Amino acid sequence: MLIMEIGKYLSLEHFCTCTKTYTKYADQIDPYPQNLDSIVAIQALNTYILDPIIDHFGYDNFQLTYGFCSPDLKRFLNQKDPKTGVKNGRIDPSRDQHMAHEINRNGKYYCSRLGAACDFLILTVKSNEVIDWIISVKLPFDSLYYYGQTASGSDRPIHISYSRQHKKALWAFTTKGTPTRKGTEKWQKAIKN
């Protein structure tokens, strides 16, 4: 167990062990970063993005659904559950920044964009309203993905990343998981102002 505060509210342990896949295979996964730069990036994500979000919406309303992805966790996400045959999860390490500054066997970063990312929900507020707030207070995010709602109407988590680039790239996703700018027009306009 690694207790290290990475912001005002979250520990490194919480950030690295919050996924369902980790919980399912905890005895087989080392969830922690191997590169100190990853910890620094995770701390920056907390300082500049998550701490202000939690300050505003409250810790009791905040649910981290996916934080750091270690190489071990990545391996399990890419596998199917032996009982159900369903893939454990999905990751796009070359783009999504969940692997922060981790380095692969070839000595290259899994994600050359660097920085760090997480997925979260605010339990008492719709995700689109959370994004309205993030943009209105001008949080310096790098990428933000709005996944919308499930068929039953419940909100899906927001993906947000932080890096030195502050690209403010904002994407929505279709029901089939295809990235699109459609549905983000008001946010794109607000970002430019």
Side-chain angles (χ1 to χ4, degrees), residues 6-87:
I6 53 171
K8 292 194 315 192
Y9 302 98
L10 302 177
S11 68
L12 184 62
E13 177 187 18
H14 183 194
F15 199 82
C16 295
T17 63
C18 64
T19 64
K20 291 177 184 175
T21 302
Y22 172 77
T23 302
K24 191 180 208 180
Y25 302 102
D27 60 335
Q28 301 172 62
I29 294 174
D30 176 357
Y32 297 107
Q34 302 303 307
N35 186 339
L36 182 59
D37 290 338
S38 289
I39 296 173
V40 172
I42 292 166
Q43 288 171 323
L45 172 67
N46 276 264
T47 299
Y48 297 110
I49 304 293
L50 297 183
D51 286 351
I53 289 170
I54 298 170
D55 283 344
H56 182 76
F57 293 102
Y59 181 76
D60 291 340
N61 295 319
F62 179 84
Q63 180 183 22
L64 185 67
T65 60
Y66 185 15
F68 174 72
C69 181
S70 69
D72 276 359
L73 179 59
K74 174 186 174 289
R75 186 166 42 90
F76 279 89
L77 285 168
N78 285 328
Q79 295 175 4
K80 291 183 179 180
D81 181 292
K83 292 178 185 170
T84 65
V86 176
K87 195 171 175 187

Side-chain angles (χ1 to χ4, degrees), residues 49-50 53 57 62-66 98 117-122 125-134 141 143-148 155-161 170-171 187:
I49 304 293
L50 297 183
I53 289 170
F57 293 102
F62 179 84
Q63 180 183 22
L64 185 67
T65 60
Y66 185 15
H98 281 285
C118 71
D119 296 5
F120 72 95
L121 282 168
I122 299 299
V125 181
K126 291 185 179 297
S127 292
N128 62 321
E129 294 173 12
V130 175
I131 295 170
D132 288 343
W133 181 84
I134 289 169
F141 65 88
S143 292
L144 191 151
Y145 305 160
Y146 174 60
Y147 295 108
D155 277 338
R156 295 177 63 203
I158 295 166
H159 168 96
I160 196 162
S161 70
L170 202 147
W171 295 90
W187 295 322

Side-chain angles (χ1 to χ4, degrees), residues 130-189:
V130 175
I131 295 170
D132 288 343
W133 181 84
I134 289 169
I135 291 170
S136 74
V137 298
K138 301 184 181 341
L139 289 186
F141 65 88
D142 190 42
S143 292
L144 191 151
Y145 305 160
Y146 174 60
Y147 295 108
Q149 297 180 329
T150 64
S152 66
S154 62
D155 277 338
R156 295 177 63 203
I158 295 166
H159 168 96
I160 196 162
S161 70
Y162 177 83
S163 78
R164 292 186 203 129
Q165 297 172 52
H166 308 289
K167 285 175 33 180
K168 294 200 175 184
L170 202 147
W171 295 90
F173 284 78
T174 66
T175 54
K176 293 183 179 175
T178 306
T180 180
R181 299 271 189 195
K182 188 174 182 180
T184 67
E185 294 85 0
K186 77 170 185 168
W187 295 322
Q188 300 288 350
K189 185 177 180 183

